[in-house]
Amino acid sequence: MATIPPGGTIGILGGGQLGRMLAMAAAELGLRTHIYCPDEELPAADVAGETTRAGYDDEAALARFADGVDVVTYEFENVPAAAARILSEHSIVRPGPIALATAQDRLVEKNFLKAQGIATAPFADVSDETSLRDAVEAIGTPSILKTRRFGYDGKGQAKIAAPENALAAYDEIGRAPAILEGFVPFEREISVVVARGLDGETAAYDPVENIHKNHILDRTLAPAALTKALADEACAIAARIVSELDYVGVMGVEMFLLPESGPKISHARRLLVNEIAPRVHNSGHWTMDACAVSQFEQHVRAICGWPLGRPDRHSDAVMTNLIGDEVADWARLAAEPQTAIHLYGKREARPGRKMGHATRLYPLGK
Ligand code: AMP
């Protein structure tokens, strides 16, 4: 079990805001970072020791990058399998390939959860028009057709209101391999940010409530207003997932909370897992200001084989994403008491682009 002490170097695949906040957390622990990303603009490169700008298919560059670092991690789940293989031939990759393969493909992910007895929306495989018809018959409508791969923030999804809309929805997602999911009449969306260390220890931050605008996370309320039994169940589900995947690092587990009364989708349970993200997660940004150890430091600790920090909060918090032009509000936010602002250094505030976030702190339990 290789532990990476201060002075070591973490390689981070991806150069966005998550990589940037990981690099800053690593620096605070005396660790160096090397960013690998093909993009032009790299928010993470501003704060990292070294940057390689190269494609995820550039085998020689990947090998050189991995040879020069003590551990490789990533800030996004769509790392090509071939790149992950090359990296693991030349370094340690954490989280490992099983977690990556599971989270990259919605069908594999849902089948994994089902095999663990973890409730999800009802789902069916769609690979052609015949299986689409069968899936609509089995799942019914309303339902949502989702591409198996490369979907995020509502992209690669089409709602099917009635069976006769199924083909149009299939066209809308480009007839890509997909799953059909039953539409969940959820009361709220919550998530658990959980970590698992190299020694198998797990630590979950309390569940939070997530409010979306235009399919993009707008606000996170920490903690979610839940009974202790539900909060414990959500954390236990998240801990089971990371343990079953032999996971090392931080994971975001998104869940739907069903209303207390009304139809239950699966096994009469109120919590359904929507998806898992094998990385630090937007719904965990509040931990930077409301916990002694943030999700970013926690991820660094886990992948370097350090003891995990306790996930306790010293404050309650509301995290608001600054999307597109909203970032123009930075001066007003900076003048607010008990508000921490984090700006990602992106040059252009395009619509839908995450430019930063602000976290307002409140006394516990208020
Ligand atoms: P996803 O990309 O799977 O996280 O989906 C993005 C958003 O679409 C979720 O945060 C939900 O608000 C909504 N959504 C996804 N799947 C379902 C579903 N089966 N039923 C109802 N809403 C859904």
Side-chain angles (χ1 to χ4, degrees), residues 106 109-110 121-122 142-144 146 151-155 157 159 180-186 189 210 212 215-216 254-256 272 274-275:
R106 289 188 195 274
E109 177 183 71
K110 288 276 185 324
S143 45
I144 304 183
K146 299 182 176 181
Y152 68 97
D153 288 348
K155 294 188 175 67
Q157 299 193 10
K159 194 166 169 184
L180 185 71
E181 265 185 39
F183 188 81
V184 177
F186 56 79
E189 291 188 82
N210 298 314
H212 295 85
H215 296 287
I216 301 174
E254 297 177 14
M255 304 180 194
F256 297 131
L272 308 182
N274 174 31
E275 69 178 357

